[in-house]
């Protein structure tokens, strides 16, 4: 239960470290190596974790509200149930990561790479996913209401049962995506590519599909 509030750990080598339940709020971990580290239950709220290397790290149950994680490598990391409210994840690499049940409401995820990631049941209300790479990601049952997915690449993504009410999917690439049972009420799908997408049982009431194809 290390207490490192506000600590400067820039470029620190902490690969494989046991930081379970550590207090790291407002700490600076920019450029740090956290590969395979155990940060389960840690408090990283408002922490600066820019360009961190944390592939395979365990953040399960951690508090990352308002954390700055942009351009970080979190490939195959465990972020299940993590609170990432208002976190900055733009251009972060999260391919293969487990974000199931995570709270990503109002998170900045512009140009994030979450290919093949598990984001099922996550809360992405009003999240910014502009130009995000979501190929093959599992977003089944996720809450994406009012999220901005304009120009997002969602080929073969699983969005079955997802809440996409009032979501912005302008120009989104949804070829082969599973949108069965999804709620797309008042969603903006202008110029979206829907070729081969499964829309069986989806609710498209008041959705804008102008120029969609």
């Amino acid at each position: 239960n290390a207490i490192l509030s506000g600590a400067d750990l820039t470029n620190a080598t902490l690969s494989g470290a046991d930081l379970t339940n550590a207090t790291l709020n407002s700490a600076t971990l920019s450029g740090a190596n956290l590969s395979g580290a155990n940060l389960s239950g840690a408090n990283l709220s408002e922490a600066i974790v820019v360009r961190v290397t944390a592939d395979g790290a365990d953040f399960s149950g951690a508090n990352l509200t308002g954390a700055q994680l942009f351009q970080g490598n979190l490939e195959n990391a465990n972020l299940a149930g993590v609170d990432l409210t208002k976190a900055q994840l733009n251009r972060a690499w999260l391919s293969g990561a487990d974000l199931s049940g995570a709270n990503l409401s109002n998170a900045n995820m512009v140009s994030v790479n979450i290919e093949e990631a598990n984001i099922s049941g996550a809360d992405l209300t009003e999240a910014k996913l502009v130009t995000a790479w979501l190929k093959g990601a599992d977003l089944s049952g996720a809450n994406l209401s009012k999220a901005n997915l304009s120009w997002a690449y969602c080929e073969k993504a699983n969005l079955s049962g997802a809440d996409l009410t009032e979501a912005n999917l302008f120009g989104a690439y949804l070829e082969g995506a599973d949108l069965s049972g999804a709620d797309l009420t008042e969603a903006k799908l202008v110029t979206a590519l829907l070729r081969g997408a499964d829309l069986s049982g989806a609710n498209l009431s008041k959705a804008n599909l102008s120029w969609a194809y």
Side-chain angles (χ1 to χ4, degrees):
N1 294 12
I3 299 174
L4 295 157
S5 301
D8 187 354
L9 295 160
T10 303
N11 296 324
T13 300
L14 296 161
S15 55
D18 185 358
L19 292 162
T20 307
N21 298 319
T23 302
L24 289 151
N25 55 299
S26 301
T28 300
L29 291 132
S30 298
N33 185 345
L34 292 162
S35 296
N38 187 351
L39 290 128
S40 56
N43 182 359
L44 288 145
S45 57
E46 306 296 332
I48 301 171
V49 202
V50 180
R51 293 183 296 278
V52 69
T53 298
D55 51 303
D58 185 2
F59 290 92
S60 55
N63 180 358
L64 285 152
T65 56
Q68 297 182 37
L69 291 148
F70 50 88
Q71 296 181 3
N73 177 5
L74 292 117
E75 187 174 8
N76 298 314
N78 183 1
L79 292 144
V82 170
D83 191 348
L84 286 149
T85 306
K86 295 183 179 178
Q88 304 293 315
L89 288 152
N90 38 311
R91 297 189 179 181
W93 189 277
L94 288 149
S95 59
D98 185 357
L99 288 146
S100 57
N103 187 347
L104 290 149
S105 55
N106 291 287
N108 183 351
M109 302 173 76
V110 175
S111 297
V112 70
N113 185 327
I114 38 183
E115 182 174 356
E116 304 290 343
N118 181 3
I119 320 166
S120 58
D123 185 356
L124 292 129
T125 307
E126 296 188 51
K128 298 175 183 67
L129 289 146
V130 180
T131 65
W133 189 271
L134 292 151
K135 182 179 180 181
D138 182 1
L139 288 140
S140 56
N143 185 351
L144 289 145
S145 56
K146 296 184 179 179
N148 189 347
L149 290 137
S150 53
W151 302 109
Y153 190 86
C154 307
E155 182 184 2
K156 295 181 180 178
N158 183 358
L159 289 148
S160 59
D163 183 354
L164 288 150
T165 54
E166 296 183 61
N168 183 359
L169 290 147
F170 182 93
Y173 190 97
L174 292 152
E175 183 172 7
D178 184 356
L179 288 152
S180 58
D183 190 350
L184 289 147
T185 304
E186 295 188 51
K188 299 174 183 67
L189 290 147
V190 180
T191 72
L193 193 156
L194 293 159
R195 185 171 55 240
D198 183 357
L199 289 155
S200 58
N203 185 351
L204 289 152
S205 58
K206 296 184 180 179
N208 187 346
L209 289 143
S210 301
W211 305 106
Y213 61 104

